[in-house]
Amino acid sequence: RKYIIMELTKQQIQRIEYRLIENGVKYWDIRIEMLDHVVSDVEQRMQLGEKFEDAIQNSFISLGWKGSFNTLIQRRQKQYAKLYNKEIKQGFKSFFTSLRSLVVYLFLMVLIYLFLDDKTFVKIIFTTVIAFFILVVGFGLFHYKKVFKSASLLTSFTFLSLSLSLLNCFLFFPKLFFNSETLSTTYLSIVFLVLYPMFYVGYQTFFKKYKKINNTYVKLMQ
């Protein structure tokens, strides 16, 4: 949809959003997608002479409203899950075909090789990984109603959590099954390099998705 000067006022758009919330559209990303559609539809209906509230209700009915949007929301959740899986696959494909990401990956390999025996350097790497995850958690808490009440962003956050869980598995697996109290820097470095693409794709997908949804909302409210 190409954005033009909106005929509806900001207050009218907020009224539509409130109506969507009233009708059970709690997920932020699904709501913004529906809001974008309804705003355009209501504008067209009002140009044909419908009153504002009537135009909203008729637009809702055309979307499949039957007392609520539960069926539509469930369908969109499934579509978002499929779309996210596709985006993750595309993210990994881009990572391993992008010159920029491969150069960074190679640079990390060289650094790790040069400082392979330096436990402090390895600790810094893992501390950085954890710090980035904490950053995402903090970002999510700050934007709680957007991130943790968003079907796609919540899925993205879960993927990042899975990445960290895998890291913990690799760190505790030797201790649990082999009674190994000390992990070699070589082992830790390999674990990091194996998981790095997953972290990279997860963070990139998360923030790219947030930016896309938020930009749509900002443009609607301008």
Side-chain angles (χ1 to χ4, degrees):
R1 174 175 181 262
K2 294 183 178 180
Y3 291 93
I4 58 176
I5 298 176
M6 307 294 284
E7 294 188 6
L8 296 183
T9 65
K10 182 178 179 179
Q11 288 71 29
Q12 287 175 318
I13 295 173
Q14 289 174 333
R15 171 59 181 162
I16 295 172
E17 183 178 16
Y18 180 72
R19 285 283 304 274
L20 288 169
I21 295 172
E22 278 187 323
N23 282 272
V25 188
K26 304 298 184 182
Y27 289 111
W28 179 61
D29 48 354
I30 295 177
R31 187 166 70 248
I32 299 308
E33 180 185 338
M34 292 175 67
L35 180 63
D36 190 22
H37 173 82
V38 173
V39 165
S40 296
D41 193 36
V42 167
E43 286 176 337
Q44 293 176 12
R45 290 176 183 276
M46 289 180 69
Q47 287 175 356
L48 295 175
E50 290 188 25
K51 294 181 179 180
F52 177 62
E53 290 293 337
D54 291 337
I56 295 176
Q57 191 62 32
N58 290 331
S59 182
F60 280 12
I61 293 172
S62 70
L63 275 174
W65 180 86
K66 296 179 180 178
S68 73
F69 284 111
N70 291 339
T71 302
L72 174 63
I73 292 171
Q74 291 173 3
R75 185 168 67 248
R76 291 304 293 149
Q77 282 181 277
K78 292 179 181 179
Q79 290 172 345
Y80 276 25
K82 291 180 180 179
L83 179 62
Y84 184 75
N85 290 334
K86 184 178 180 180
E87 289 175 344
I88 287 295
K89 291 178 182 178
Q90 183 59 44
F92 278 110
K93 182 179 179 181
S94 297
F95 178 84
F96 288 107
T97 56
S98 168
L99 179 61
R100 180 181 177 183
S101 60
L102 288 177
V103 168
V104 172
Y105 198 29
L106 181 61
F107 179 71
L108 285 172
M109 288 181 182
V110 172
L111 275 180
I112 289 174
Y113 176 77
L114 293 175
F115 295 95
L116 190 59
D117 296 326
D118 188 345
K119 291 184 178 180
T120 302
F121 179 74
V122 175
K123 288 180 180 179
I124 290 173
I125 289 177
F126 282 94
T127 301
T128 302
V129 170
I130 295 172
F132 268 106
F133 183 76
I134 293 173
L135 174 67
V136 173
V137 172
F139 181 86
L141 291 174
F142 186 77
H143 299 282
Y144 180 81
K145 291 184 178 180
K146 294 181 178 180
V147 175
F148 293 109
K149 290 191 175 182
S150 167
S152 54
L153 289 176
L154 193 57
T155 301
S156 186
F157 182 81
T158 302
F159 179 81
L160 282 172
S161 300
L162 175 62
S163 304
L164 196 66
S165 296
L166 285 175
L167 174 61
N168 286 326
C169 286
F170 278 115
L171 294 180
F172 289 105
F173 182 85
K175 294 181 181 180
L176 183 63
F177 293 98
F178 300 104
N179 296 319
S180 177
E181 295 297 329
T182 304
L183 300 176
S184 69
T185 54
T186 301
Y187 174 80
L188 292 173
S189 298
I190 292 173
V191 167
F192 171 75
L193 290 174
V194 168
L195 293 180
Y196 175 78
M198 192 172 182
F199 284 118
Y200 178 88
V201 172
Y203 287 121
Q204 186 184 56
T205 304
F206 178 87
F207 285 107
K208 184 185 292 184
K209 189 172 291 293
Y210 174 86
K211 183 178 179 181
K212 180 181 179 181
I213 301 169
N214 195 57
N215 284 345
T216 300
Y217 186 70
V218 170
K219 288 178 180 178
L220 279 168
M221 291 301 178
Q222 285 179 346

